[in-house]
Amino acid sequence: MTSSVRTVEAAPDQSTESQYNFAYLDEQTKRMIRRAILKGIAIPGYQVPFASREMPMPYGWGTGGVQVTAAILGQEDTLKVIDQGSDDTTNAVSIRSFFEKTAGVKTTTATADASIIQTRHRIPEASLREDQIIVFQVPIPEPLRFLEPRETETRTMHALKEYGLMHVKLYEDIARNGRIATTYAYPVEVNDRYVMDPSPTPKFDNPKIDEMAALQLYGAGREKRIYAIPPFTKVKSLDFDDHPFEVQKFERPCGLCGAANVYLDEVILDDKGGRMFVCSDTDYCEERREAGHLGDMAADPAAVSLTTSTAGQDAS
Amino acid sequence: MTKRLSLKSVGKSFQMHLQGGLTLPVVTNVELEVFSGECVVLGGPSGAGKSSILKMIYGNYRCDEGQILIATGENGETVLDIAKAEPRRMLSLRSNTIGYVSQFLRVIPRVSAEDVVAEPLIAQGADEKTAVNKARDLLTRLNVPNRLWTLPPATFSGGEQQRVNIARGFITNYPMLLLDEPTASLDAANRAVVVELVEEKKASGVAMLGILHDLDVRERIADRIVDVTNFKQAA
Amino acid sequence: MSDMMNDEPLLRVSEITKLYGNRIGCQNVDFELWPGEVLAVVGESGSGKSTLLNCLSTRLEPTSGMIEYRMRDGVFRNLYKLTEAERRLLMRTDWGFVHQNPADGLRLAVSAGANVGERLMAVGQRHYGQIRDTATDWLERVEIAADRIDDNPRAFSGGMRQRLQIARNLVTHPRLIFMDEPTGGLDVSVQARLLDMLRRLVADLGLAVIIVTHDLAVARLLSHRIVVMRHGNVIETGLTDQVLDDPREPYTQLLVSSILQV
């Protein structure tokens, strides 16, 4: 109970193997997806169409990410799945158990131990390494769709590198809010060529995808698109000369582990207005607490109940 | 004196397709010359084709036969045939060589009287201030009340509109002016102003060809009168 | 206008024909357009004037014929031999297109300022303050109050929308503007204001314009030259007042005589 970091050992000879192909998808489908991934890596930021399959989960629950993960997963891999930074929310738990069941691979919540990290809406705070791959679940891959609903037109715009419209969106933001108010799915230009939606991660994470050591793969199941950013690729967040890109700043560090310069979630503690801000990356937060870092609210009974109740959920 | 305009064997007829293709002859074999510094007046009864001749020279009407030669350029050294001029050429002649003072103002919505008057001079390259000042001078001379200058002429009385248009016609520095009954329905005072304006133009070497029904004015400004009935087709 | 004689044409149109199956859209259309010249294409519905406009503006490939445009570098290019990228760049920089229905030419989801600024951002302007200043300036030039810059065009009247569409097109200082019945669907008083504004802008900016209209009064007020179309053919062409004052063809005479005199 003290630590929720746990690694489930691989179980290659589980009985489920006979009923499912390794990692659920059939080999032909995986090859098709791998070809799309390879093309995506070859053309950083370009949205490659692929024949997305029906998965045993609803659209919006990460069907794109799951297919990408299934296609790249090997028996020696260790998988981590996060949803909004947390290993323990429903979406993360169900995808993790999906692969435990259908592939029998090792799973982990420790970022450093994972070879593949599937994520919805966050990038771990710890720097990723060259031997890791991060898979993003993407709802709407087309960043231009906000202003140009015609797919034929947006494809032409990508082909001709006509990205003025992306700035129209940012202009509109400033005009209405006095600053670029887009805080997530903040558009980026990859390798000086394609403009890309980095999935609904907070723009706080945008600097992490620039020159990232790990390979980034993005899968959109409903929209049937895969795109990728190879390791160490230049990724620039779009902005104006007089309104440069900047990330959110938090006024105080994490209440539990005292980490500064991390992305925080607000947690409501009671119905009397009590609240605290804690790391959205739960694994990072736990690691820090284990290493002895304590935030100013770590001793608060409400905070204690928060950490224990989270751990309690794991056991179920 | 240089020859500014000459019409050679000019003929014009209208074919009225809406009246079963009826052909209406207007004029034929028009021979006419206008020199710089003179005012030639076309004579003859209504329907004799005076207006049509002016309109052919200005390019509003096509010229079916003959030549309409106009001397243009700095010193009138280039002679062009209006009868064969392509539209661009005609437009350029209108912007630098031939002015038209007609009776009727084609009102342009929302443009003030002084701007209506100043416009042709600005088109000739004058700066806006000079042009507007000159426009105000002319409007003053033609007794258009000061309070009307900044209003669009659409709501002016007939006489006021006409005077605005006369000012518009006389403001320019064209070497050739066509006068299409500029004094019709003007009172004596304003008629006298028009006579003055014509005299000033003559003095500066402008060639003028006009239609003037007003015998008194015609007497005073016409150097020659050409009777258009001579150009009627022998029926 | 005075230096017009020395220029080369901006657009050369040779023998343009567009067939829809064996029906004629437009046939053997030939003309040249010079810088600063306003050409009105008139005719009734179905006369082929919109087909011609679409062919000229590279929105509809003609069945045969050639359209050449003098690019900003002075070189004539066959419009249908341009690459897609060149064509699109031309359309959003050196050209404009004013649609009859402003909704077709505007982005109704974004503010007036963003509508005007879009072309600037498309050609790489990345300074918000400057884009906004330019947009403000253009809004004022089309008589839209500067404090409406952040309003959505959905909140604008028809006439304002049309003026916004015009500003959006002019912001890159194009040399050629296509207009498809720009005053159609507007109240008479709104039309008059728009026409006057167009007339001034065209003269001030030295724009070449090809305007399609069925309204001869619009043609009279704005254009230097007229092309009369009927059944897909150009039946009469010439100086605007010459065609309107001395129409030669039976159809043109009918058209001119059908105008209500006010």
Side-chain angles (χ1 to χ4, degrees):
Chain A
M1 288 296 260
T2 51
S3 166
S4 66
V5 177
R6 75 262 177 272
T7 299
V8 175
E9 287 305 315
D13 56 354
Q14 254 181 305
S15 59
T16 48
E17 267 238 341
S18 55
Q19 288 155 27
Y20 293 110
N21 188 37
F22 178 75
Y24 186 76
L25 290 175
D26 63 89
E27 293 305 310
Q28 282 301 333
T29 299
K30 286 199 247 177
R31 287 169 70 178
M32 174 271 291
I33 294 172
R34 285 179 202 136
R35 280 196 292 267
I37 292 171
L38 286 172
K39 183 170 178 180
I41 295 169
I43 316 170
Y46 170 71
Q47 299 167 45
V48 184
F50 80 109
S52 178
R53 297 292 193 250
E54 286 290 332
M55 298 303 283
M57 62 186 72
Y59 287 131
W61 285 70
T63 54
V66 164
Q67 290 181 77
V68 169
T69 300
I72 61 170
L73 199 62
Q75 280 168 346
E76 301 308 312
D77 276 311
T78 304
L79 179 68
K80 170 184 164 80
V81 183
I82 51 174
D83 173 8
Q84 312 260 21
S86 166
D87 294 88
D88 302 310
T89 52
T90 319
N91 193 227
V93 170
S94 64
I95 291 173
R96 194 162 57 228
S97 59
F98 174 76
F99 282 113
E100 283 167 4
K101 195 168 183 181
T102 61
V105 293
K106 275 202 293 191
T107 58
T108 183
T109 59
T111 302
D113 296 345
S115 58
I116 297 172
I117 301 162
Q118 181 172 334
T119 176
R120 172 173 175 269
H121 302 190
R122 266 320 304 281
I123 296 172
E125 302 292 354
S127 296
L128 300 183
R129 302 182 309 265
E130 281 181 61
D131 62 347
Q132 293 178 305
I133 298 174
I134 182 165
V135 177
F136 294 82
Q137 301 170 200
V138 180
I140 295 170
E142 181 48 75
L144 297 163
R145 190 170 300 167
F146 169 72
L147 288 170
E148 180 50 74
R150 290 169 297 174
E151 181 80 14
T152 48
E153 180 66 11
T154 55
R155 284 201 213 186
T156 308
M157 292 160 100
H158 281 294
L160 301 177
K161 206 182 172 191
E162 286 180 5
Y163 289 128
L165 208 51
M166 221 54 258
H167 275 87
V168 171
K169 182 176 184 287
L170 299 179
Y171 171 96
E172 200 62 4
D173 248 14
I174 304 173
R176 290 188 194 284
N177 304 297
R179 65 198 158 82
I180 299 177
T182 300
T183 51
Y184 63 90
Y186 191 103
V188 293
E189 185 187 67
V190 181
N191 201 27
D192 297 322
R193 180 57 183 88
Y194 285 94
V195 164
M196 186 195 97
D197 179 353
S199 86
T201 51
K203 70 177 176 182
F204 181 87
D205 286 339
N206 274 23
K208 293 180 187 154
I209 63 177
D210 178 30
E211 303 288 343
M212 183 189 268
L215 169 64
Q216 305 168 52
L217 301 177
Y218 294 79
R222 180 180 45 209
E223 300 274 335
K224 303 178 172 57
R225 294 286 183 280
I226 286 172
Y227 49 103
I229 303 178
F232 303 110
T233 299
K234 180 180 165 193
V235 178
K236 186 188 178 306
S237 301
L238 301 181
D239 60 4
F240 286 102
D241 299 345
D242 49 344
H243 285 266
F245 172 79
E246 50 189 30
V247 298
Q248 297 102 314
K249 289 203 174 57
F250 295 92
E251 283 166 17
R252 52 187 141 182
C254 170
L256 292 175
C257 75
N261 301 319
V262 294
Y263 194 75
L264 301 179
D265 285 338
E266 182 181 5
V267 179
I268 306 294
L269 298 174
D270 50 41
D271 51 9
K272 295 188 282 291
R275 56 190 183 148
M276 66 187 298
F277 289 86
V278 300
C279 290
S280 119
D281 184 343
T282 53
D283 172 63
Y284 183 78
C285 195
E286 280 163 24
E287 267 185 26
R288 279 180 56 87
R289 274 180 279 137
E290 272 166 32
H293 298 283
L294 283 181
D296 58 356
M297 289 183 80
D300 190 294
V304 172
S305 77
L306 188 75
T307 48
T308 48
S309 75
T310 312
Q313 207 176 49
D314 287 344
S316 61
Chain B
M1 278 206 298
T2 48
K3 193 195 288 178
R4 185 54 71 181
L5 178 76
S6 64
L7 277 65
K8 294 185 174 163
S9 313
V10 166
K12 169 82 192 159
S13 59
F14 287 115
Q15 198 178 12
M16 315 297 275
H17 292 283
L18 302 182
Q19 274 122 50
L22 181 72
T23 300
L24 282 181
V26 183
V27 286
T28 182
N29 280 321
V30 181
E31 298 285 338
L32 184 66
E33 288 180 337
V34 185
F35 290 83
S36 60
E38 73 167 342
C39 179
V40 176
V41 171
L42 297 174
S46 296
K50 302 186 294 292
S51 224
S52 295
I53 291 173
L54 284 198
K55 283 181 172 163
M56 276 191 280
I57 296 167
Y58 201 61
N60 289 47
Y61 284 179
R62 292 180 175 89
C63 172
D64 300 335
E65 297 161 21
Q67 288 180 305
I68 301 174
L69 301 175
I70 178 91
T72 180
E74 285 289 300
N75 307 302
E77 66 280 3
T78 312
V79 176
L80 294 175
D81 182 2
I82 288 171
K84 293 191 178 61
E86 50 182 298
R88 263 164 37 81
R89 183 74 64 184
M90 196 64 236
L91 287 172
S92 140
L93 283 174
R94 286 183 189 177
S95 77
N96 59 32
T97 307
I98 312 176
Y100 195 94
V101 186
S102 80
Q103 316 174 59
F104 301 109
L105 181 64
R106 193 173 293 285
V107 179
I108 298 153
R110 294 204 314 148
V111 181
S112 71
E114 60 185 29
D115 287 345
V116 166
V117 175
E119 191 186 65
L121 196 55
I122 293 169
Q124 283 193 315
D127 73 90
E128 203 165 321
K129 204 163 169 201
T130 317
V132 170
N133 283 337
K134 198 168 172 195
R136 288 174 181 166
D137 273 359
L138 281 165
L139 289 171
T140 311
R141 287 179 71 182
L142 286 159
N143 305 304
V144 177
N146 193 325
R147 60 185 162 81
L148 296 180
W149 296 355
T150 54
L151 300 177
T155 52
F156 292 8
S157 73
E160 284 159 354
Q161 288 195 8
Q162 193 181 356
R163 267 134 57 204
V164 167
N165 208 32
I166 288 167
R168 183 178 154 96
F170 279 107
I171 196 171
T172 53
N173 303 309
Y174 299 117
M176 172 88 229
L177 273 186
L178 303 173
L179 313 175
D180 191 354
E181 303 204 46
T183 56
S185 78
L186 287 187
D187 59 27
N190 284 311
R191 276 205 303 272
V193 176
V194 173
V195 171
E196 261 174 53
L197 288 171
V198 170
E199 291 301 334
E200 285 166 23
K201 287 288 178 196
K202 269 195 215 175
S204 63
V206 173
M208 280 168 284
L209 178 66
I211 305 170
L212 290 161
H213 283 133
D214 189 321
L215 290 177
D216 170 44
V217 175
R218 182 151 76 177
E219 284 291 295
R220 284 153 70 185
I221 65 175
D223 297 298
R224 284 187 290 133
I225 294 176
V226 174
D227 189 351
V228 173
T229 45
N230 296 335
F231 309 132
K232 269 289 170 201
Q233 204 157 22
Chain C
M1 285 302 278
S2 47
D3 57 347
M4 220 168 86
M5 300 311 294
N6 309 320
D7 286 332
E8 278 188 286
L10 198 57
L11 192 72
R12 286 202 292 240
V13 180
S14 336
E15 298 287 308
I16 285 298
T17 296
K18 173 66 193 175
L19 302 175
Y20 300 103
N22 46 22
R23 223 161 40 77
I24 295 166
C26 64
Q27 190 165 241
N28 293 329
V29 179
D30 259 317
F31 68 87
E32 289 178 328
L33 185 76
W34 273 265
E37 191 178 30
V38 180
L39 177 76
V41 180
V42 303
E44 59 197 5
S45 308
S47 60
K49 55 192 198 301
S50 292
T51 296
L52 176 62
L53 188 74
N54 286 333
C55 286
L56 297 175
S57 57
T58 71
R59 298 147 64 89
L60 180 68
E61 185 160 7
T63 311
S64 62
M66 184 159 74
I67 306 166
E68 293 169 294
Y69 181 71
R70 183 157 55 82
M71 309 292 273
R72 284 190 180 181
D73 62 4
V75 177
F76 277 97
R77 299 286 304 274
N78 181 335
L79 289 179
Y80 285 93
K81 295 264 166 69
L82 294 177
T83 64
E84 177 80 351
E86 288 173 321
R87 191 181 68 81
R88 288 170 66 107
L89 181 69
L90 181 69
M91 288 184 83
R92 63 166 189 262
T93 53
D94 212 16
W95 284 10
F97 196 108
V98 177
H99 297 262
Q100 174 172 13
N101 180 357
D104 295 340
L106 292 173
R107 287 193 194 279
L108 295 181
V110 298
S111 65
N115 267 287
V116 178
E118 180 175 342
R119 276 175 166 231
L120 298 174
M121 291 181 252
V123 295
Q125 275 206 33
R126 292 292 177 263
H127 192 284
Y128 174 83
Q130 286 167 8
I131 292 167
R132 202 171 165 79
D133 288 348
T134 312
T136 308
D137 182 43
W138 275 100
L139 288 178
E140 281 170 352
R141 290 178 84 163
V142 298
E143 301 169 21
I144 294 175
D147 64 3
R148 304 296 303 267
I149 189 168
D150 293 330
D151 288 358
N152 194 286
R154 284 201 180 95
F156 286 7
S157 67
M160 273 175 84
R161 284 188 192 187
Q162 195 57 290
R163 282 179 275 134
L164 179 63
Q165 191 190 183
I166 289 162
R168 175 178 155 89
N169 273 286
L170 295 182
V171 69
T172 49
H173 298 283
R175 293 184 299 160
L176 174 60
I177 305 277
F178 299 97
M179 297 185 187
D180 187 6
E181 305 273 9
T183 58
L186 298 176
D187 291 347
V188 179
S189 60
V190 178
Q191 268 193 30
R193 180 173 180 188
L194 187 73
L195 283 173
D196 172 43
M197 199 199 77
L198 275 177
R199 196 175 143 275
R200 275 189 216 203
L201 285 172
V202 164
D204 289 353
L205 303 170
L207 293 173
V209 178
I210 296 178
I211 177 171
V212 158
T213 179
H214 66 273
D215 187 338
L216 295 183
V218 170
R220 166 89 79 178
L221 198 60
L222 287 182
S223 73
H224 300 118
R225 210 146 54 91
I226 267 190
V227 161
V228 183
M229 291 192 73
R230 191 185 194 204
H231 301 327
N233 291 287
V234 171
I235 56 163
E236 187 158 2
T237 174
L239 271 181
T240 296
D241 45 15
Q242 194 173 77
V243 171
L244 296 181
D245 294 346
D246 182 12
R248 183 161 287 181
E249 292 298 316
Y251 177 72
T252 317
Q253 291 187 357
L254 178 69
L255 212 57
V256 170
S257 68
S258 312
I259 306 175
L260 291 173
Q261 297 288 341
V262 181

